[in-house]
Amino acid sequence: MSEVKMLTEFYHLPEYQTLAGYKAKGGYETLHKAFKMQPQAIIDEVKASGLRGRGGAGFPTGMKWGFLPKNGEPRYLLCNADEGEPGTFKDRMMMERAPHQLIEGMIISAFAIGSHKGYIYVRGEYVFPIECLNKAIKEAYAAGLLGKNILGSGFDFDLDVYRGAGAYICGEETGMISSLEGLKGQPKLKPPFPAVQGYLRKPTIVNNVETLAAVTYIIKDGAQAYRKHGTEKSAGTKLFSLSGNVMTPGNFEVPLGYPLMDLIMKEGGGMKPGRKLKAVIPGGSSAPVLTAEEVAKANLDYESLAGLGTMLGSGAVIVIDDSQCMVDMLGVLTHFYAHESCGQCTPCREGTGWLNKVLHSILEGRGRLQDIDLLIKVADNMKGKTICALSDAAALPVLSFVTKFRDEFEFYVREGRSKVKGTTYAEMHH
């Protein structure tokens, strides 16, 4: 096992959820250290650590913080805990097992950027994580770790949990800000970027749960210690949500740059008996699929996966074995994106619907061979033409599935049934 437990070291202890249990393992000690530092020194340390956004975009965290204007305006720190990407479930575990780890990371980050108000935006379905967070926040207020003059430092910080209503689009930072403002959860045009004009038109930093939790460890041990793990451009450890056709699915913390095949075979216990690896979606449902041959070359870092034409994304590794029909799986994805499009941009509103209709006509035995090229044409017309990346998120799986497994699509059109399962769509979903 090559797990490096920086964040998840004590996740197996039930008491780690509580303030007493967290403190027993050194919790909030780093906060004392941070309050003795200059805010700019904390930002510089985070920059030097090479920490990149763990929610999917992989943008350097310290650089993002550096975009905040040096004016006296109030600023906000928002934690993106929407986690709507199919296949991703690491933030949920972090909030359930270690809510104080996130809170400490948020207080340190808020101190660094000069924010006195923070929100944790959690997707509505996460009922238990929300309970865990609210309980932990209450404990932190009671212990003087939140509110006025924290630990006698003169620094004030208030924190609230905001519950979303279960919209995938609210995981996009500007869509999340709109929702937090009480508006329709729709993304906003950038620029202005949130760091300049975000929540309530004030400077705002939006970071993922895992990103903010990692800040504590960077300030505790220093940037160089953090950089001992990972690669030059992808530093540190990352939590990967491993699901699909493996023996032991779950969340695993490994250094960035870890071979994808090792994650599947060692951490994931390999394929089910008698099954062969067919494909892997390496970074959540919007990441282009990799064939088994490509998986053998892939490492789990931003650069390696970009080199293979896909992305690390949120770290959701979905393993597909040779019993799965790619046409049927793509049908699940196109339905999801058609349902989740906010409808603001025409290429996405119309495109996601068209992809879903065309694909389902193939699945239902009404497809024509030219429909396969039509899928590619529609997906091509959706890429890079909208306010946010949802349109691309719907188009990229279509392009990669159809290109890499075209024989399955052609067979489905000609025979009206799955090449792999031998059954029709109606028989599979009776």
Side-chain angles (χ1 to χ4, degrees):
M1 291 284 173
S2 293
E3 281 196 89
V4 174
K5 301 205 168 187
M6 192 180 285
L7 293 168
T8 57
E9 188 182 357
F10 303 115
Y11 278 23
H12 60 289
L13 304 171
E15 64 272 20
Y16 200 61
Q17 289 178 11
T18 66
L19 179 59
Y22 181 64
K23 277 182 138 172
K25 297 293 179 197
Y28 290 108
E29 279 170 24
T30 309
L31 184 59
H32 287 274
K33 180 183 176 181
F35 282 151
K36 294 192 183 90
M37 294 169 73
Q38 288 299 317
Q40 188 57 47
I42 297 174
I43 296 175
D44 292 342
E45 201 65 34
V46 171
K47 267 187 192 162
S49 74
L51 175 67
R52 293 169 66 169
R54 299 292 192 238
F59 193 81
T61 306
M63 194 191 284
K64 194 187 224 184
W65 291 3
F67 292 152
L68 286 166
K70 303 271 189 282
N71 57 19
E73 281 197 299
R75 54 227 14 226
Y76 295 94
L77 176 64
L78 309 184
C79 170
N80 187 344
D82 187 75
E83 195 162 57
E85 182 75 11
T88 318
F89 44 88
K90 54 158 182 104
D91 293 345
R92 180 179 108 185
M93 177 179 81
M94 297 187 80
M95 293 182 281
E96 288 175 1
R97 307 264 180 97
H100 283 284
Q101 190 183 56
L102 171 59
I103 295 167
E104 184 175 16
M106 283 192 79
I107 303 167
I108 294 169
S109 303
F111 177 66
I113 64 170
S115 166
H116 300 292
K117 177 73 198 179
Y119 291 98
I120 305 173
Y121 186 103
V122 191
R123 61 184 295 188
E125 298 92 337
Y126 276 1
V127 178
F128 182 57
I130 290 167
E131 281 174 17
C132 296
L133 285 171
N134 280 326
K135 209 157 121 193
I137 287 171
K138 216 168 158 181
E139 284 185 312
Y141 269 109
L145 293 159
L146 283 172
K148 295 260 178 280
N149 191 20
I150 298 169
L151 301 174
S153 63
F155 178 68
D156 306 341
F157 184 62
D158 286 297
L159 186 58
D160 280 311
V161 175
Y162 186 92
R163 186 175 171 178
Y168 173 69
I169 194 70
C170 292
E172 194 279 335
E173 59 178 11
T174 59
M176 187 181 102
I177 289 168
S178 298
S179 170
L180 200 56
E181 291 171 334
L183 305 168
K184 220 188 245 185
Q186 290 187 325
K188 298 171 170 169
L189 271 172
K190 295 189 264 197
F193 287 89
V196 177
Q197 197 182 85
Y199 179 59
L200 306 179
R201 304 183 74 117
K202 297 291 180 219
T204 303
I205 290 293
V206 184
N207 287 135
N208 171 262
V209 175
E210 190 184 347
T211 315
L212 289 162
V215 169
T216 307
Y217 293 83
I218 291 163
I219 299 309
K220 179 174 136 222
D221 300 326
Q224 289 320 306
Y226 187 74
R227 273 198 174 274
K228 280 196 186 122
H229 307 293
T231 68
E232 177 55 34
K233 289 184 174 168
S234 299
T237 64
K238 167 105 189 70
L239 278 162
F240 289 93
S241 304
L242 183 65
S243 66
N245 304 130
V246 287
M247 293 300 288
T248 51
N251 285 310
F252 302 97
E253 185 181 1
V254 295
L256 283 163
Y258 191 64
L260 174 52
M261 201 56 109
D262 283 1
L263 184 80
I264 296 166
M265 293 305 169
K266 292 180 184 168
E267 277 68 28
M271 313 305 291
K272 302 263 169 78
R275 287 281 156 224
K276 284 212 300 283
L277 179 68
K278 178 175 182 175
V280 171
I281 299 173
S285 64
S286 53
V289 71
L290 295 173
T291 63
E293 296 75 48
E294 290 171 319
V295 172
K297 294 182 266 189
N299 291 330
L300 290 166
D301 59 74
Y302 298 99
E303 290 68 37
S304 171
L305 290 172
L308 290 166
T310 184
M311 52 196 181
L312 183 79
S314 54
V317 177
I318 304 167
V319 180
I320 301 164
D321 72 18
D322 56 357
S323 70
Q324 304 299 326
C325 169
M326 301 306 275
V327 190
D328 196 43
M329 290 188 84
L330 189 59
V332 176
L333 291 182
T334 57
H335 175 263
F336 172 78
Y337 287 108
H339 182 265
E340 292 296 338
S341 170
C342 80
Q344 187 175 198
C345 309
T346 310
C348 179
R349 180 183 67 242
E350 301 301 321
T352 52
W354 273 107
L355 290 177
N356 193 42
K357 275 181 200 154
V358 173
L359 197 82
H360 277 82
S361 71
I362 292 173
L363 284 167
E364 285 155 19
R366 304 190 312 275
R368 310 160 305 168
L369 278 172
Q370 61 256 47
D371 287 344
I372 300 172
D373 290 322
L374 183 59
L375 283 170
I376 292 174
K377 192 177 165 188
V378 173
D380 270 332
N381 281 327
M382 291 166 65
K383 277 191 338 201
K385 297 180 173 67
T386 50
I387 290 175
C388 87
L390 190 140
S391 190
D392 295 59
L396 293 171
V398 171
L399 291 168
S400 66
F401 272 62
V402 173
T403 312
K404 293 178 182 180
F405 297 94
R406 190 173 178 121
D407 59 320
E408 289 192 36
F409 288 83
E410 288 179 353
F411 186 94
Y412 222 117
V413 169
R414 281 200 301 271
E415 305 282 331
R417 62 192 170 89
S418 167
K419 183 178 178 179
V420 182
K421 295 187 185 284
T423 50
T424 64
Y425 184 71
E427 288 165 341
M428 270 194 267
H429 298 268
H430 56 78

